[in-house]
Amino acid sequence: MANYAPLLIGIGQHVSENNYRTWMCIICGWVYEEEKGAPEEGLAPGTRWEDIPEYWVCPDCGAGKDDFEMIEV
């Protein structure tokens, strides 16, 4: 068993560094999956949302990062 403390997200929910999230543009519906990245947009697979520059915009409609929401899939 590993000797580390898991990150706690809420009561009974643990997150490891392998739990990738999915983000969707609320303007046009374009989806960014951290695990897959968006190589055609210069985002390597595994790139976390928080590591994408603030000036980045949606490749389909030009919306900013503020116009994206994390979604459950």
Side-chain angles (χ1 to χ4, degrees):
M1 181 154 211
N3 291 325
Y4 66 91
L7 298 173
L8 296 178
I9 297 302
I11 298 173
Q13 296 179 351
H14 297 343
V15 148
S16 74
E17 47 186 74
N18 292 331
N19 285 348
Y20 293 107
R21 298 167 295 171
T22 300
W23 298 83
M24 185 177 72
C25 177
I26 60 172
I27 306 299
C28 72
W30 188 82
V31 174
Y32 176 71
E33 297 177 64
E34 292 177 337
E35 185 173 18
K36 293 180 180 178
E40 63 283 356
E41 304 303 325
L43 302 174
T47 301
R48 300 292 185 171
W49 184 250
E50 55 271 8
D51 295 331
I52 297 174
E54 289 301 315
Y55 58 82
W56 181 86
V57 295
C58 175
D60 279 357
C61 72
K65 282 182 68 177
D66 291 342
D67 292 315
F68 279 75
E69 291 185 356
M70 189 176 67
I71 61 172
E72 300 267 344
V73 286

mmCIF file with all atom_site columns, all heavy atoms in Angstrom, residues 38-53:
data_model
loop_
_atom_site.group_PDB
_atom_site.id
_atom_site.type_symbol
_atom_site.label_atom_id
_atom_site.label_alt_id
_atom_site.label_comp_id
_atom_site.label_asym_id
_atom_site.label_entity_id
_atom_site.label_seq_id
_atom_site.pdbx_PDB_ins_code
_atom_site.Cartn_x
_atom_site.Cartn_y
_atom_site.Cartn_z
_atom_site.occupancy
_atom_site.B_iso_or_equiv
_atom_site.pdbx_formal_charge
_atom_site.auth_seq_id
_atom_site.auth_comp_id
_atom_site.auth_asym_id
_atom_site.auth_atom_id
_atom_site.pdbx_PDB_model_num
ATOM 1   N N   . ALA A 1 38 ? -5.921  18.124 -26.956 1.00 0.00 ? 38 ALA A N   1
ATOM 2   C CA  . ALA A 1 38 ? -6.390  18.605 -28.258 1.00 0.00 ? 38 ALA A CA  1
ATOM 3   C C   . ALA A 1 38 ? -5.144  18.910 -29.073 1.00 0.00 ? 38 ALA A C   1
ATOM 4   O O   . ALA A 1 38 ? -4.769  20.066 -29.249 1.00 0.00 ? 38 ALA A O   1
ATOM 5   C CB  . ALA A 1 38 ? -7.286  19.830 -28.107 1.00 0.00 ? 38 ALA A CB  1
ATOM 6   N N   . PRO A 1 39 ? -4.450  17.840 -29.532 1.00 0.00 ? 39 PRO A N   1
ATOM 7   C CA  . PRO A 1 39 ? -3.175  18.033 -30.236 1.00 0.00 ? 39 PRO A CA  1
ATOM 8   C C   . PRO A 1 39 ? -3.277  19.003 -31.417 1.00 0.00 ? 39 PRO A C   1
ATOM 9   O O   . PRO A 1 39 ? -2.348  19.775 -31.660 1.00 0.00 ? 39 PRO A O   1
ATOM 10  C CB  . PRO A 1 39 ? -2.812  16.627 -30.709 1.00 0.00 ? 39 PRO A CB  1
ATOM 11  C CG  . PRO A 1 39 ? -3.520  15.712 -29.766 1.00 0.00 ? 39 PRO A CG  1
ATOM 12  C CD  . PRO A 1 39 ? -4.793  16.434 -29.391 1.00 0.00 ? 39 PRO A CD  1
ATOM 13  N N   . GLU A 1 40 ? -4.416  18.997 -32.120 1.00 0.00 ? 40 GLU A N   1
ATOM 14  C CA  . GLU A 1 40 ? -4.594  19.907 -33.248 1.00 0.00 ? 40 GLU A CA  1
ATOM 15  C C   . GLU A 1 40 ? -4.641  21.371 -32.799 1.00 0.00 ? 40 GLU A C   1
ATOM 16  O O   . GLU A 1 40 ? -4.473  22.282 -33.600 1.00 0.00 ? 40 GLU A O   1
ATOM 17  C CB  . GLU A 1 40 ? -5.851  19.545 -34.043 1.00 0.00 ? 40 GLU A CB  1
ATOM 18  C CG  . GLU A 1 40 ? -7.158  19.668 -33.294 1.00 0.00 ? 40 GLU A CG  1
ATOM 19  C CD  . GLU A 1 40 ? -7.484  18.538 -32.311 1.00 0.00 ? 40 GLU A CD  1
ATOM 20  O OE1 . GLU A 1 40 ? -6.720  17.549 -32.222 1.00 0.00 ? 40 GLU A OE1 1
ATOM 21  O OE2 . GLU A 1 40 ? -8.499  18.647 -31.618 1.00 0.00 ? 40 GLU A OE2 1
ATOM 22  N N   . GLU A 1 41 ? -4.858  21.597 -31.497 1.00 0.00 ? 41 GLU A N   1
ATOM 23  C CA  . GLU A 1 41 ? -4.894  22.942 -30.923 1.00 0.00 ? 41 GLU A CA  1
ATOM 24  C C   . GLU A 1 41 ? -3.650  23.233 -30.083 1.00 0.00 ? 41 GLU A C   1
ATOM 25  O O   . GLU A 1 41 ? -3.591  24.232 -29.380 1.00 0.00 ? 41 GLU A O   1
ATOM 26  C CB  . GLU A 1 41 ? -6.145  23.114 -30.046 1.00 0.00 ? 41 GLU A CB  1
ATOM 27  C CG  . GLU A 1 41 ? -7.450  22.829 -30.757 1.00 0.00 ? 41 GLU A CG  1
ATOM 28  C CD  . GLU A 1 41 ? -7.646  23.688 -31.995 1.00 0.00 ? 41 GLU A CD  1
ATOM 29  O OE1 . GLU A 1 41 ? -7.224  24.860 -32.002 1.00 0.00 ? 41 GLU A OE1 1
ATOM 30  O OE2 . GLU A 1 41 ? -8.227  23.172 -32.970 1.00 0.00 ? 41 GLU A OE2 1
ATOM 31  N N   . GLY A 1 42 ? -2.668  22.306 -30.118 1.00 0.00 ? 42 GLY A N   1
ATOM 32  C CA  . GLY A 1 42 ? -1.432  22.491 -29.370 1.00 0.00 ? 42 GLY A CA  1
ATOM 33  C C   . GLY A 1 42 ? -1.498  22.052 -27.921 1.00 0.00 ? 42 GLY A C   1
ATOM 34  O O   . GLY A 1 42 ? -0.626  22.408 -27.129 1.00 0.00 ? 42 GLY A O   1
ATOM 35  N N   . LEU A 1 43 ? -2.523  21.273 -27.557 1.00 0.00 ? 43 LEU A N   1
ATOM 36  C CA  . LEU A 1 43 ? -2.677  20.793 -26.180 1.00 0.00 ? 43 LEU A CA  1
ATOM 37  C C   . LEU A 1 43 ? -2.423  19.287 -26.145 1.00 0.00 ? 43 LEU A C   1
ATOM 38  O O   . LEU A 1 43 ? -3.233  18.508 -26.628 1.00 0.00 ? 43 LEU A O   1
ATOM 39  C CB  . LEU A 1 43 ? -4.081  21.117 -25.663 1.00 0.00 ? 43 LEU A CB  1
ATOM 40  C CG  . LEU A 1 43 ? -4.473  22.598 -25.681 1.00 0.00 ? 43 LEU A CG  1
ATOM 41  C CD1 . LEU A 1 43 ? -5.936  22.771 -25.296 1.00 0.00 ? 43 LEU A CD1 1
ATOM 42  C CD2 . LEU A 1 43 ? -3.570  23.401 -24.764 1.00 0.00 ? 43 LEU A CD2 1
ATOM 43  N N   . ALA A 1 44 ? -1.301  18.914 -25.569 1.00 0.00 ? 44 ALA A N   1
ATOM 44  C CA  . ALA A 1 44 ? -0.898  17.510 -25.524 1.00 0.00 ? 44 ALA A CA  1
ATOM 45  C C   . ALA A 1 44 ? -1.845  16.694 -24.656 1.00 0.00 ? 44 ALA A C   1
ATOM 46  O O   . ALA A 1 44 ? -2.451  17.220 -23.716 1.00 0.00 ? 44 ALA A O   1
ATOM 47  C CB  . ALA A 1 44 ? 0.523   17.396 -24.972 1.00 0.00 ? 44 ALA A CB  1
ATOM 48  N N   . PRO A 1 45 ? -1.999  15.389 -24.958 1.00 0.00 ? 45 PRO A N   1
ATOM 49  C CA  . PRO A 1 45 ? -2.794  14.519 -24.083 1.00 0.00 ? 45 PRO A CA  1
ATOM 50  C C   . PRO A 1 45 ? -2.299  14.620 -22.642 1.00 0.00 ? 45 PRO A C   1
ATOM 51  O O   . PRO A 1 45 ? -1.096  14.687 -22.390 1.00 0.00 ? 45 PRO A O   1
ATOM 52  C CB  . PRO A 1 45 ? -2.547  13.124 -24.656 1.00 0.00 ? 45 PRO A CB  1
ATOM 53  C CG  . PRO A 1 45 ? -2.245  13.369 -26.095 1.00 0.00 ? 45 PRO A CG  1
ATOM 54  C CD  . PRO A 1 45 ? -1.458  14.666 -26.107 1.00 0.00 ? 45 PRO A CD  1
ATOM 55  N N   . GLY A 1 46 ? -3.244  14.676 -21.711 1.00 0.00 ? 46 GLY A N   1
ATOM 56  C CA  . GLY A 1 46 ? -2.909  14.789 -20.300 1.00 0.00 ? 46 GLY A CA  1
ATOM 57  C C   . GLY A 1 46 ? -2.794  16.222 -19.805 1.00 0.00 ? 46 GLY A C   1
ATOM 58  O O   . GLY A 1 46 ? -2.567  16.451 -18.621 1.00 0.00 ? 46 GLY A O   1
ATOM 59  N N   . THR A 1 47 ? -2.980  17.210 -20.683 1.00 0.00 ? 47 THR A N   1
ATOM 60  C CA  . THR A 1 47 ? -2.901  18.609 -20.264 1.00 0.00 ? 47 THR A CA  1
ATOM 61  C C   . THR A 1 47 ? -4.123  18.958 -19.420 1.00 0.00 ? 47 THR A C   1
ATOM 62  O O   . THR A 1 47 ? -5.259  18.829 -19.864 1.00 0.00 ? 47 THR A O   1
ATOM 63  C CB  . THR A 1 47 ? -2.828  19.562 -21.483 1.00 0.00 ? 47 THR A CB  1
ATOM 64  O OG1 . THR A 1 47 ? -1.684  19.228 -22.258 1.00 0.00 ? 47 THR A OG1 1
ATOM 65  C CG2 . THR A 1 47 ? -2.730  21.011 -21.035 1.00 0.00 ? 47 THR A CG2 1
ATOM 66  N N   . ARG A 1 48 ? -3.858  19.351 -18.188 1.00 0.00 ? 48 ARG A N   1
ATOM 67  C CA  . ARG A 1 48 ? -4.937  19.721 -17.258 1.00 0.00 ? 48 ARG A CA  1
ATOM 68  C C   . ARG A 1 48 ? -5.501  21.082 -17.624 1.00 0.00 ? 48 ARG A C   1
ATOM 69  O O   . ARG A 1 48 ? -4.797  21.952 -18.144 1.00 0.00 ? 48 ARG A O   1
ATOM 70  C CB  . ARG A 1 48 ? -4.420  19.761 -15.816 1.00 0.00 ? 48 ARG A CB  1
ATOM 71  C CG  . ARG A 1 48 ? -3.867  18.448 -15.317 1.00 0.00 ? 48 ARG A CG  1
ATOM 72  C CD  . ARG A 1 48 ? -4.957  17.445 -15.180 1.00 0.00 ? 48 ARG A CD  1
ATOM 73  N NE  . ARG A 1 48 ? -4.431  16.205 -14.590 1.00 0.00 ? 48 ARG A NE  1
ATOM 74  C CZ  . ARG A 1 48 ? -5.174  15.224 -14.202 1.00 0.00 ? 48 ARG A CZ  1
ATOM 75  N NH1 . ARG A 1 48 ? -6.475  15.269 -14.328 1.00 0.00 ? 48 ARG A NH1 1
ATOM 76  N NH2 . ARG A 1 48 ? -4.644  14.137 -13.690 1.00 0.00 ? 48 ARG A NH2 1
ATOM 77  N N   . TRP A 1 49 ? -6.774  21.270 -17.365 1.00 0.00 ? 49 TRP A N   1
ATOM 78  C CA  . TRP A 1 49 ? -7.454  22.514 -17.682 1.00 0.00 ? 49 TRP A CA  1
ATOM 79  C C   . TRP A 1 49 ? -6.730  23.713 -17.072 1.00 0.00 ? 49 TRP A C   1
ATOM 80  O O   . TRP A 1 49 ? -6.550  24.743 -17.712 1.00 0.00 ? 49 TRP A O   1
ATOM 81  C CB  . TRP A 1 49 ? -8.898  22.443 -17.200 1.00 0.00 ? 49 TRP A CB  1
ATOM 82  C CG  . TRP A 1 49 ? -9.707  23.642 -17.576 1.00 0.00 ? 49 TRP A CG  1
ATOM 83  C CD1 . TRP A 1 49 ? -10.175 24.606 -16.738 1.00 0.00 ? 49 TRP A CD1 1
ATOM 84  C CD2 . TRP A 1 49 ? -10.156 24.000 -18.882 1.00 0.00 ? 49 TRP A CD2 1
ATOM 85  N NE1 . TRP A 1 49 ? -10.888 25.545 -17.449 1.00 0.00 ? 49 TRP A NE1 1
ATOM 86  C CE2 . TRP A 1 49 ? -10.884 25.188 -18.779 1.00 0.00 ? 49 TRP A CE2 1
ATOM 87  C CE3 . TRP A 1 49 ? -10.001 23.420 -20.145 1.00 0.00 ? 49 TRP A CE3 1
ATOM 88  C CZ2 . TRP A 1 49 ? -11.464 25.815 -19.867 1.00 0.00 ? 49 TRP A CZ2 1
ATOM 89  C CZ3 . TRP A 1 49 ? -10.593 24.048 -21.232 1.00 0.00 ? 49 TRP A CZ3 1
ATOM 90  C CH2 . TRP A 1 49 ? -11.299 25.229 -21.092 1.00 0.00 ? 49 TRP A CH2 1
ATOM 91  N N   . GLU A 1 50 ? -6.295  23.573 -15.827 1.00 0.00 ? 50 GLU A N   1
ATOM 92  C CA  . GLU A 1 50 ? -5.626  24.692 -15.155 1.00 0.00 ? 50 GLU A CA  1
ATOM 93  C C   . GLU A 1 50 ? -4.260  25.014 -15.761 1.00 0.00 ? 50 GLU A C   1
ATOM 94  O O   . GLU A 1 50 ? -3.719  26.089 -15.517 1.00 0.00 ? 50 GLU A O   1
ATOM 95  C CB  . GLU A 1 50 ? -5.522  24.453 -13.644 1.00 0.00 ? 50 GLU A CB  1
ATOM 96  C CG  . GLU A 1 50 ? -4.851  23.169 -13.255 1.00 0.00 ? 50 GLU A CG  1
ATOM 97  C CD  . GLU A 1 50 ? -5.816  21.984 -13.140 1.00 0.00 ? 50 GLU A CD  1
ATOM 98  O OE1 . GLU A 1 50 ? -7.008  22.086 -13.501 1.00 0.00 ? 50 GLU A OE1 1
ATOM 99  O OE2 . GLU A 1 50 ? -5.346  20.935 -12.682 1.00 0.00 ? 50 GLU A OE2 1
ATOM 100 N N   . ASP A 1 51 ? -3.708  24.108 -16.561 1.00 0.00 ? 51 ASP A N   1
ATOM 101 C CA  . ASP A 1 51 ? -2.419  24.351 -17.206 1.00 0.00 ? 51 ASP A CA  1
ATOM 102 C C   . ASP A 1 51 ? -2.553  24.998 -18.584 1.00 0.00 ? 51 ASP A C   1
ATOM 103 O O   . ASP A 1 51 ? -1.559  25.377 -19.193 1.00 0.00 ? 51 ASP A O   1
ATOM 104 C CB  . ASP A 1 51 ? -1.638  23.038 -17.339 1.00 0.00 ? 51 ASP A CB  1
ATOM 105 C CG  . ASP A 1 51 ? -1.265  22.473 -15.973 1.00 0.00 ? 51 ASP A CG  1
ATOM 106 O OD1 . ASP A 1 51 ? -1.104  23.264 -15.020 1.00 0.00 ? 51 ASP A OD1 1
ATOM 107 O OD2 . ASP A 1 51 ? -1.153  21.244 -15.856 1.00 0.00 ? 51 ASP A OD2 1
ATOM 108 N N   . ILE A 1 52 ? -3.774  25.135 -19.072 1.00 0.00 ? 52 ILE A N   1
ATOM 109 C CA  . ILE A 1 52 ? -4.015  25.805 -20.347 1.00 0.00 ? 52 ILE A CA  1
ATOM 110 C C   . ILE A 1 52 ? -3.973  27.308 -20.085 1.00 0.00 ? 52 ILE A C   1
ATOM 111 O O   . ILE A 1 52 ? -4.590  27.790 -19.129 1.00 0.00 ? 52 ILE A O   1
ATOM 112 C CB  . ILE A 1 52 ? -5.386  25.382 -20.932 1.00 0.00 ? 52 ILE A CB  1
ATOM 113 C CG1 . ILE A 1 52 ? -5.382  23.881 -21.242 1.00 0.00 ? 52 ILE A CG1 1
ATOM 114 C CG2 . ILE A 1 52 ? -5.700  26.201 -22.191 1.00 0.00 ? 52 ILE A CG2 1
ATOM 115 C CD1 . ILE A 1 52 ? -6.723  23.341 -21.673 1.00 0.00 ? 52 ILE A CD1 1
ATOM 116 N N   . PRO A 1 53 ? -3.241  28.058 -20.909 1.00 0.00 ? 53 PRO A N   1
ATOM 117 C CA  . PRO A 1 53 ? -3.121  29.505 -20.668 1.00 0.00 ? 53 PRO A CA  1
ATOM 118 C C   . PRO A 1 53 ? -4.473  30.212 -20.621 1.00 0.00 ? 53 PRO A C   1
ATOM 119 O O   . PRO A 1 53 ? -5.425  29.819 -21.306 1.00 0.00 ? 53 PRO A O   1
ATOM 120 C CB  . PRO A 1 53 ? -2.315  29.997 -21.878 1.00 0.00 ? 53 PRO A CB  1
ATOM 121 C CG  . PRO A 1 53 ? -1.626  28.792 -22.419 1.00 0.00 ? 53 PRO A CG  1
ATOM 122 C CD  . PRO A 1 53 ? -2.509  27.617 -22.094 1.00 0.00 ? 53 PRO A CD  1
#
